[in-house]
Amino acid sequence: MGKKILTVDDSPSIRQLVGFVLNGAGYSVEETPDGAAGFAKAQASAFDLILTDQNMPNMDGLTMIKRLRATASYARTPILILTTESSDTMKARGREAGATGWLVKPFEPGKLLEVVKKVIG
């Protein structure tokens, strides 16, 4: 069984694409449609990496990251933001919240795999 990755995105097509790319590379992927569901799933199970969108209903990505970083089990887990937002201000807010890195949508599958391998192997 490969390393476990949680994908948090309100777009079913993005979740499907990320899952397809990462499952194909041998990772085990679970997904949720928003930050509130992502936070709950992360509390119920351990993940090696979390990929999250920023703009979602119920709880946005930065709020979810801050809440996860406040828990001992996710203080050091890599968390990548996968979003259409690419401004320096948003990237700075992501770093302040505790994000490990930033990928801009639309993403290239090869680039996603490269970044994932870099942070969790």
Side-chain angles (χ1 to χ4, degrees):
M1 182 58 91
K3 293 194 174 181
K4 284 178 62 176
I5 298 173
L6 176 61
T7 301
V8 184
D9 199 305
D10 58 332
S11 166
S13 59
I14 292 290
R15 291 194 314 265
Q16 187 176 22
L17 179 58
V18 169
F20 179 78
V21 170
L22 296 177
N23 281 318
Y27 296 102
S28 173
V29 180
E30 292 186 35
E31 56 185 58
T32 62
D34 61 60
F39 182 78
K41 186 166 276 237
Q43 293 299 291
S45 186
F47 291 93
D48 299 296
L49 169 68
I50 296 174
L51 279 170
T52 184
D53 188 13
Q54 163 52 17
N55 299 310
M56 299 177 286
N58 301 320
M59 183 189 297
D60 67 31
L62 295 181
T63 302
M64 185 189 74
I65 292 169
K66 287 177 189 167
R67 289 194 180 169
L68 286 170
R69 290 296 188 217
T71 66
S73 50
Y74 286 98
R76 299 200 182 295
T77 301
I79 302 175
L80 300 174
I81 298 177
L82 180 61
T83 184
T84 55
E85 303 243 10
S86 61
S87 72
D88 290 339
T89 303
M90 275 307 297
K91 288 180 182 177
R93 288 182 59 208
R95 278 192 297 276
E96 286 168 19
T100 307
W102 198 277
L103 287 162
V104 177
K105 295 183 214 174
F107 63 90
E108 290 190 25
K111 180 70 174 166
L112 174 65
L113 273 177
E114 182 184 315
V115 172
V116 168
K117 284 180 179 162
K118 192 179 289 182
V119 294
I120 64 170

